Amino acid sequence: MARILGIETSCDETAAAVVEDGHRVIGEAVATQIEIHKKYGGVVPELASRNHVVDIVPVVEEAMTRAQVGWSEIDAIAVTQGPGLVGALLVGLQVAKALAYAHDKPLIPVHHLTGHLHAVHLHTPDAPRPEAPALPHVALAVSGGHTALYRVDGPEQVRRIANTRDDAAGEAFDKVARMLGLGYPGGPIIERLARQGDPSAHRFTPPRFKKGNPLDFSFSGLKTAVLTVIKGFNGALPEGQPLYDLIASFQAAAIDQLVDRCGRAAESEGVEGVVLAGGVACNGALRAAARAALEAKGLKLYVPPPRWCTDNAAMIASAAEGRPLGEGLAPVDQRLNALGTWQLSAARS
Ligand code: KG4
Ligand code: ZN
């Protein structure tokens, strides 16, 4: 059995988790910075880095305490190496390297999106292990930074088959909420208010591409269309029912696009299942629409519980499971050397 400590600091969550065998989450802790960034309407990178510095050690300690394990019972340390905010990533990487060095554990760098795609395997010890999606399958990673479709043939065989041409879906939710003065992050606020609106109040046409991959995504036209409606309110922001109707129509258009691509990608790749991952996959309306549309085509939907859709460290530990220890270490080690490891080695010897 492998027991891996995962560390994630790529954006505005400082997270640590201990995961057994790539799926059983025995302890985790998250310090969210939402309250800090809220007043700026988005993540301020420098503030994110500084708060990771404050939170990371207590968060790791908390995850270890909840898991009821000591360092001798940890087999490896996994850490998000990117993509993400550089200063924020650096905090997690430095702490992971220091811990790996101090406790003599292998260090496994993990790609953030690979992490998101692994969230579907996670469960707590008191819950049954979720059914693993059959291979091959199609996975949609849909977050504040990414909206892309992948064909997954195995843990190490992941090929991107479509991408967004402009904004990520989560970014569109955040920007629309910001345009309407609703706060940050936009996704959960929009989901809540959209429940009171009529999704057919505004007809937003889906993007059409003249060339290139028809499975690609685009959300900037939808965002501009929402702005045009807002301008029609002559300087005031919509409130009450008109606001709810606009939001519900925006959300429906965004969801239609995501669900449409998932269905078509699954059919063209000849797979039987689709995985949803990333922060936007928390959205209940998206989950319900994807389930209905995919099941109507005889396809199966796999989606992690919301807490593992948004950024978390359990998915990072899960993605590291089964990776040959040491694989991928070279680039991190080079950076480590550049940052003065020799001094650490000298101190140890
Ligand atoms: O995966 P994540 O935590 O961080 C990134 O890697 O980006 O995703 C954050 C994104 C934000 O844009 C947020 O607005 C969106 O996920 N999000 C949602 C919901 N919850 C979070 N979007 C729509 N509906 C939600 N319920
Ligand atoms: Zn993420």
Side-chain angles (χ1 to χ4, degrees):
M1 180 180 75
R3 196 179 285 120
I4 298 183
L5 168 70
I7 293 178
E8 150 70 38
T9 63
S10 67
C11 190
D12 59 347
E13 319 275 3
T14 317
V18 182
V19 177
E20 288 176 347
D21 295 337
H23 57 91
R24 202 176 314 105
V25 186
I26 60 167
E28 60 181 333
V30 184
T32 176
Q33 301 179 6
I34 285 180
E35 286 306 316
I36 292 161
H37 300 287
K38 221 176 189 170
K39 53 179 172 293
Y40 305 100
V43 178
V44 182
E46 180 60 22
L47 280 181
S49 318
R50 289 177 189 211
N51 283 284
H52 285 311
V53 172
V54 173
D55 291 330
I56 186 72
V57 171
V59 161
V60 169
E61 282 173 348
E62 184 68 31
M64 296 281 290
T65 305
R66 289 189 184 160
Q68 297 183 301
V69 292
W71 288 106
S72 62
E73 294 154 290
I74 295 288
D75 298 307
I77 298 175
V79 61
T80 307
Q81 69 165 4
L85 303 171
V86 173
L89 287 164
L90 202 60
V91 177
L93 269 163
Q94 290 306 318
V95 168
K97 285 172 190 171
L99 289 171
Y101 181 80
H103 298 288
D104 204 13
K105 307 289 177 193
L107 177 67
I108 308 174
V110 173
H111 191 286
H112 183 75
L113 286 178
T114 313
H116 273 302
L117 300 190
H118 277 77
V120 74
H121 300 293
L122 299 171
H123 65 103
T124 49
D126 54 356
R129 183 176 180 178
E131 183 197 341
L135 293 169
H137 60 257
V138 157
L140 171 68
V142 60
S143 70
H146 301 91
T147 299
L149 275 166
Y150 298 86
R151 178 191 166 97
V152 182
D153 284 281
E156 303 287 319
Q157 294 152 282
V158 181
R159 183 168 56 83
R160 193 170 71 195
I161 51 176
N163 200 1
T164 181
R165 296 196 180 182
D166 38 62
D167 291 351
E171 202 178 344
F173 274 83
D174 294 339
K175 285 182 179 166
V176 164
R178 197 173 170 165
M179 291 187 308
L180 289 162
L182 297 174
Y184 177 86
I189 304 170
I190 288 188
E191 177 177 8
R192 185 165 42 80
L193 298 180
R195 289 194 201 112
Q196 301 170 60
D198 172 8
S200 61
H202 300 271
R203 291 210 165 274
F204 296 124
T205 42
R208 276 192 205 93
F209 305 126
K210 291 211 177 79
K211 1 179 221 205
N213 185 351
L215 288 176
D216 276 350
F217 301 89
S218 168
F219 294 96
S220 69
L222 175 58
K223 197 181 61 192
T224 310
V226 171
L227 186 62
T228 307
V229 175
I230 297 174
K231 283 186 179 153
F233 286 88
N234 297 325
L237 287 176
E239 287 175 15
Q241 202 55 47
L243 170 68
Y244 306 146
D245 287 349
L246 176 56
I247 285 175
S249 304
F250 158 76
Q251 179 175 271
I255 289 176
D256 277 354
Q257 189 184 150
L258 294 169
V259 172
D260 165 74
R261 301 298 192 271
C262 287
R264 288 199 286 142
E267 284 176 340
S268 64
E269 294 296 325
V271 301
E272 286 169 8
V274 175
V275 169
L276 290 191
V280 181
C282 291
N283 188 289
L286 168 62
R287 296 159 85 96
R291 192 170 303 283
L294 295 175
E295 281 177 4
K297 290 177 190 282
L299 298 162
K300 196 151 184 194
L301 176 73
Y302 302 86
V303 50
R307 64 198 259 229
W308 291 317
C309 286
T310 47
D311 287 348
N312 66 87
M315 68 185 195
I316 302 301
S318 172
E321 172 71 31
R323 287 254 302 274
L325 297 182
E327 183 221 330
L329 276 180
V332 173
D333 271 352
Q334 275 160 18
R335 269 190 276 175
L336 192 62
N337 287 337
L339 292 164
T341 330
W342 63 272
Q343 290 170 327
L344 279 174
S345 313
R348 186 147 103 168
S349 60

